[in-house]
Every structure is written in C-alpha cells, then in structure tokens.
Coordinates of all heavy atoms in Angstrom, one line a residue:
N1330 N -16.3 -12.3 -7.4 CA -16.5 -12.9 -6.1 C -17.7 -12.1 -5.4 O -18.5 -12.7 -4.8 CB -15.3 -12.9 -5.3 CG -14.2 -13.8 -5.7 OD1 -14.5 -14.7 -6.6 ND2 -13.1 -13.7 -5.2
T1331 N -17.7 -10.8 -5.5 CA -18.8 -10.0 -4.9 C -20.1 -10.4 -5.5 O -21.1 -10.5 -4.8 CB -18.5 -8.5 -5.1 OG1 -17.2 -8.2 -4.5 CG2 -19.6 -7.7 -4.5
L1332 N -20.1 -10.5 -6.9 CA -21.4 -10.9 -7.5 C -21.9 -12.3 -7.0 O -23.0 -12.5 -6.8 CB -21.2 -10.9 -9.0 CG -21.0 -9.6 -9.7 CD1 -20.8 -9.7 -11.2 CD2 -22.2 -8.6 -9.4
M1333 N -20.9 -13.2 -6.9 CA -21.3 -14.6 -6.4 C -21.8 -14.5 -5.0 O -22.8 -15.2 -4.6 CB -20.1 -15.5 -6.5 CG -19.7 -15.8 -7.9 SD -18.5 -17.1 -8.2 CE -17.3 -16.9 -6.9
I1334 N -21.2 -13.7 -4.1 CA -21.7 -13.6 -2.7 C -23.1 -13.0 -2.7 O -24.0 -13.4 -2.0 CB -20.7 -12.7 -1.9 CG1 -19.4 -13.5 -1.7 CG2 -21.3 -12.3 -0.6 CD1 -18.3 -12.7 -1.0
Q1335 N -23.3 -11.9 -3.5 CA -24.6 -11.3 -3.6 C -25.7 -12.3 -4.1 O -26.8 -12.4 -3.6 CB -24.6 -10.1 -4.5 CG -23.9 -8.9 -4.0 CD -23.9 -7.8 -5.0 OE1 -24.2 -7.9 -6.2 NE2 -23.5 -6.6 -4.5
D1336 N -25.3 -13.1 -5.0 CA -26.2 -14.2 -5.6 C -26.5 -15.2 -4.5 O -27.7 -15.6 -4.3 CB -25.5 -14.9 -6.8 CG -26.5 -15.7 -7.6 OD1 -27.7 -15.2 -7.7 OD2 -26.1 -16.7 -8.1
M1337 N -25.5 -15.6 -3.7 CA -25.8 -16.5 -2.6 C -26.6 -15.9 -1.5 O -27.5 -16.6 -1.0 CB -24.4 -17.0 -2.0 CG -24.5 -18.0 -1.0 SD -24.5 -17.5 0.7 CE -23.2 -16.3 0.8
L1338 N -26.4 -14.7 -1.2 CA -27.2 -14.0 -0.1 C -28.6 -13.8 -0.5 O -29.5 -13.7 0.3 CB -26.5 -12.7 0.3 CG -25.2 -12.8 1.1 CD1 -24.6 -11.5 1.3 CD2 -25.4 -13.6 2.4
A1339 N -28.9 -13.7 -1.8 CA -30.2 -13.5 -2.3 C -31.1 -14.8 -2.3 O -32.3 -14.7 -2.4 CB -30.2 -12.9 -3.8
D1340 N -30.4 -15.9 -2.1 CA -31.1 -17.2 -2.0 C -31.8 -17.3 -0.7 O -31.1 -17.2 0.4 CB -30.1 -18.3 -2.2 CG -30.7 -19.7 -2.3 OD1 -31.9 -19.8 -2.2 OD2 -30.0 -20.6 -2.6
P1341 N -33.1 -17.5 -0.7 CA -33.8 -17.6 0.6 C -33.4 -18.7 1.5 O -33.5 -18.7 2.7 CB -35.3 -17.8 0.2 CG -35.4 -17.5 -1.3 CD -34.0 -17.6 -1.8
E1342 N -32.7 -19.7 0.9 CA -32.2 -20.8 1.7 C -31.2 -20.4 2.7 O -31.1 -20.9 3.8 CB -31.6 -21.9 0.8 CG -32.2 -23.2 0.8 CD -31.5 -24.1 -0.2 OE1 -30.3 -24.6 0.1 OE2 -32.1 -24.4 -1.2
W1343 N -30.4 -19.4 2.4 CA -29.4 -18.9 3.2 C -29.8 -17.9 4.2 O -29.1 -17.5 5.2 CB -28.2 -18.3 2.4 CG -27.4 -19.3 1.7 CD1 -27.6 -19.8 0.5 CD2 -26.4 -20.1 2.3 NE1 -26.7 -20.8 0.2 CE2 -25.9 -21.0 1.3 CE3 -25.7 -20.1 3.5 CZ2 -24.9 -21.9 1.5 CZ3 -24.7 -21.0 3.7 CH2 -24.3 -21.9 2.7
A1344 N -31.1 -17.4 4.1 CA -31.6 -16.3 5.0 C -31.5 -16.7 6.5 O -31.2 -15.9 7.3 CB -33.0 -15.9 4.6
D1345 N -31.9 -18.0 6.8 CA -32.0 -18.4 8.1 C -30.7 -19.1 8.6 O -30.5 -19.3 9.8 CB -33.1 -19.4 8.3 CG -34.5 -18.7 8.1 OD1 -34.6 -17.5 8.3 OD2 -35.4 -19.4 7.6
V1346 N -29.8 -19.4 7.7 CA -28.5 -20.1 8.0 C -27.5 -19.1 8.5 O -26.8 -19.4 9.5 CB -28.0 -20.9 6.8 CG1 -26.7 -21.5 7.1 CG2 -29.0 -21.9 6.4
L1347 N -27.3 -18.0 7.9 CA -26.2 -17.1 8.2 C -26.7 -16.1 9.3 O -27.7 -15.5 9.2 CB -25.8 -16.3 7.0 CG -25.1 -17.1 5.9 CD1 -24.8 -16.2 4.7 CD2 -23.9 -17.7 6.4
T1348 N -25.9 -16.0 10.3 CA -26.1 -15.0 11.4 C -25.6 -13.6 11.0 O -24.8 -13.5 10.0 CB -25.5 -15.4 12.7 OG1 -24.1 -15.4 12.6 CG2 -26.0 -16.8 13.1
D1349 N -25.8 -12.6 11.7 CA -25.3 -11.3 11.4 C -23.7 -11.3 11.5 O -23.0 -10.7 10.7 CB -25.8 -10.2 12.4 CG -27.2 -9.9 12.1 OD1 -27.7 -10.1 11.0 OD2 -27.9 -9.3 13.0
E1350 N -23.2 -12.1 12.5 CA -21.7 -12.3 12.6 C -21.2 -12.9 11.3 O -20.1 -12.6 10.8 CB -21.4 -13.0 13.8 CG -21.5 -12.3 15.1 CD -21.1 -13.1 16.3 OE1 -20.4 -14.1 16.1 OE2 -21.5 -12.7 17.4
D1351 N -21.9 -13.9 10.8 CA -21.4 -14.6 9.6 C -21.4 -13.7 8.4 O -20.5 -13.6 7.6 CB -22.4 -15.8 9.2 CG -22.3 -16.9 10.3 OD1 -21.3 -17.1 10.9 OD2 -23.3 -17.6 10.4
K1352 N -22.4 -12.8 8.3 CA -22.5 -11.9 7.2 C -21.4 -10.8 7.3 O -20.8 -10.4 6.3 CB -23.9 -11.2 7.1 CG -25.0 -12.2 6.7 CD -26.3 -11.5 6.8 CE -27.4 -12.5 6.5 NZ -28.8 -12.0 6.6
R1353 N -21.1 -10.4 8.5 CA -20.0 -9.5 8.7 C -18.6 -10.1 8.3 O -17.7 -9.3 7.9 CB -19.9 -9.0 10.1 CG -21.0 -7.9 10.4 CD -20.7 -7.2 11.7 NE -20.6 -8.1 12.9 CZ -21.6 -8.4 13.7 NH1 -22.8 -7.9 13.4 NH2 -21.5 -9.2 14.7
A1354 N -18.5 -11.4 8.4 CA -17.2 -12.0 8.1 C -17.1 -12.3 6.6 O -16.0 -12.7 6.2 CB -17.1 -13.3 8.9
L1355 N -18.1 -12.1 5.8 CA -18.0 -12.4 4.4 C -17.0 -11.4 3.7 O -17.0 -10.2 4.0 CB -19.3 -12.3 3.7 CG -20.3 -13.4 4.0 CD1 -21.7 -13.1 3.4 CD2 -19.8 -14.7 3.5
T1356 N -16.2 -11.9 2.8 CA -15.3 -11.1 2.1 C -15.1 -11.6 0.7 O -15.2 -12.8 0.4 CB -13.9 -11.1 2.8 OG1 -13.0 -10.3 2.0 CG2 -13.3 -12.5 2.9
P1357 N -15.0 -10.7 -0.3 CA -14.8 -11.2 -1.7 C -13.3 -11.5 -2.0 O -12.9 -11.7 -3.1 CB -15.2 -10.0 -2.5 CG -14.9 -8.8 -1.6 CD -15.2 -9.3 -0.2
L1358 N -12.4 -11.5 -1.0 CA -11.0 -11.7 -1.2 C -10.7 -13.2 -1.0 O -9.9 -13.6 -0.1 CB -10.2 -10.9 -0.2 CG -10.4 -9.4 -0.3 CD1 -9.7 -8.7 0.8 CD2 -10.1 -8.9 -1.6
F1359 N -11.2 -14.0 -1.8 CA -10.9 -15.5 -1.8 C -10.6 -15.9 -3.2 O -11.0 -15.3 -4.2 CB -12.1 -16.3 -1.2 CG -13.4 -16.2 -1.9 CD1 -13.7 -17.0 -2.9 CD2 -14.3 -15.2 -1.6 CE1 -14.9 -16.9 -3.6 CE2 -15.5 -15.1 -2.2 CZ -15.8 -16.0 -3.3
W1360 N -9.9 -17.1 -3.3 CA -9.5 -17.6 -4.6 C -9.5 -19.1 -4.6 O -8.8 -19.7 -5.5 CB -8.1 -17.0 -5.0 CG -7.1 -17.1 -3.9 CD1 -6.8 -16.2 -2.9 CD2 -6.2 -18.2 -3.6 NE1 -5.8 -16.6 -2.1 CE2 -5.4 -17.9 -2.5 CE3 -6.0 -19.5 -4.2 CZ2 -4.5 -18.8 -2.0 CZ3 -5.0 -20.3 -3.7 CH2 -4.3 -20.0 -2.6
V1361 N -10.3 -19.7 -3.8 CA -10.3 -21.2 -3.8 C -10.9 -21.8 -5.1 O -10.7 -22.9 -5.4 CB -11.0 -21.8 -2.5 CG1 -10.3 -21.4 -1.3 CG2 -12.5 -21.3 -2.5
H1362 N -11.6 -21.0 -5.8 CA -12.3 -21.5 -7.0 C -11.4 -21.2 -8.3 O -11.8 -21.5 -9.4 CB -13.6 -20.8 -7.2 CG -13.6 -19.3 -7.3 ND1 -13.1 -18.6 -6.2 CD2 -13.9 -18.4 -8.2 CE1 -13.2 -17.3 -6.5 NE2 -13.6 -17.2 -7.7
I1363 N -10.2 -20.7 -8.0 CA -9.2 -20.4 -9.1 C -8.3 -21.6 -9.3 O -7.8 -22.2 -8.3 CB -8.4 -19.1 -8.8 CG1 -9.3 -18.0 -8.6 CG2 -7.4 -18.9 -9.9 CD1 -10.1 -17.6 -9.8
Q1364 N -8.0 -22.0 -10.6 CA -7.1 -23.0 -10.8 C -5.7 -22.5 -10.6 O -5.2 -21.5 -11.3 CB -7.1 -23.5 -12.3 CG -8.3 -24.4 -12.6 CD -8.1 -24.9 -14.1 OE1 -7.6 -24.1 -14.9 NE2 -8.6 -26.1 -14.3
P1365 N -4.9 -23.0 -9.7 CA -3.6 -22.5 -9.4 C -2.6 -22.8 -10.5 O -1.6 -22.1 -10.6 CB -3.2 -23.1 -8.1 CG -4.0 -24.3 -7.9 CD -5.3 -24.1 -8.7
Y1366 N -2.8 -23.8 -11.3 CA -1.8 -24.2 -12.3 C -2.5 -24.3 -13.6 O -3.6 -24.8 -13.8 CB -1.2 -25.5 -12.0 CG -0.6 -25.5 -10.6 CD1 -1.2 -26.2 -9.5 CD2 0.6 -24.8 -10.3 CE1 -0.7 -26.2 -8.3 CE2 1.1 -24.8 -9.0 CZ 0.5 -25.5 -8.0 OH 1.0 -25.5 -6.8
G1367 N -1.9 -23.8 -14.7 CA -2.4 -23.9 -16.0 C -3.1 -22.5 -16.4 O -3.1 -21.6 -15.7
E1368 N -3.6 -22.6 -17.6 CA -4.2 -21.4 -18.2 C -5.7 -21.4 -18.0 O -6.3 -22.4 -18.0 CB -3.9 -21.3 -19.7 CG -2.4 -21.0 -20.0 CD -2.2 -20.9 -21.5 OE1 -3.2 -21.0 -22.3 OE2 -1.1 -20.8 -21.9

C-alpha cells in the first residue's frame, strides 16, 4: 500500500489536486483492494 501511495504521489496529475491536509491524511492502512472472500 505504501508503494502504491508513493507511486500515486509521484504522478504530476496529483500534484495540484492534493492539499497538504490531504497528504497528511494518507495512510497505508487500507484494504478496499483486497478480496474479502476466496483465495
């Protein structure tokens, strides 16, 4: 998740979109991209 966030922040498209408050709120503790059922 940390690598994915770093990849997203390196994209110039996001440079003007995220404020300093938005960046402070980023966390790698998410799991919405994980399949909850199955292998």
Side-chain angles (χ1 to χ4, degrees):
N1330 289 349
T1331 301
L1332 293 177
M1333 291 190 321
I1334 290 171
Q1335 287 177 349
D1336 195 34
M1337 185 265 314
L1338 290 175
D1340 188 355
E1342 241 179 73
W1343 287 95
D1345 297 330
V1346 176
L1347 295 176
T1348 66
D1349 288 339
E1350 287 182 18
D1351 293 332
K1352 291 177 184 175
R1353 281 195 300 269
L1355 289 175
T1356 178
L1358 303 176
F1359 60 89
W1360 48 269
V1361 295
H1362 58 298
I1363 301 296
Q1364 281 186 328
Y1366 306 105
E1368 292 182 5

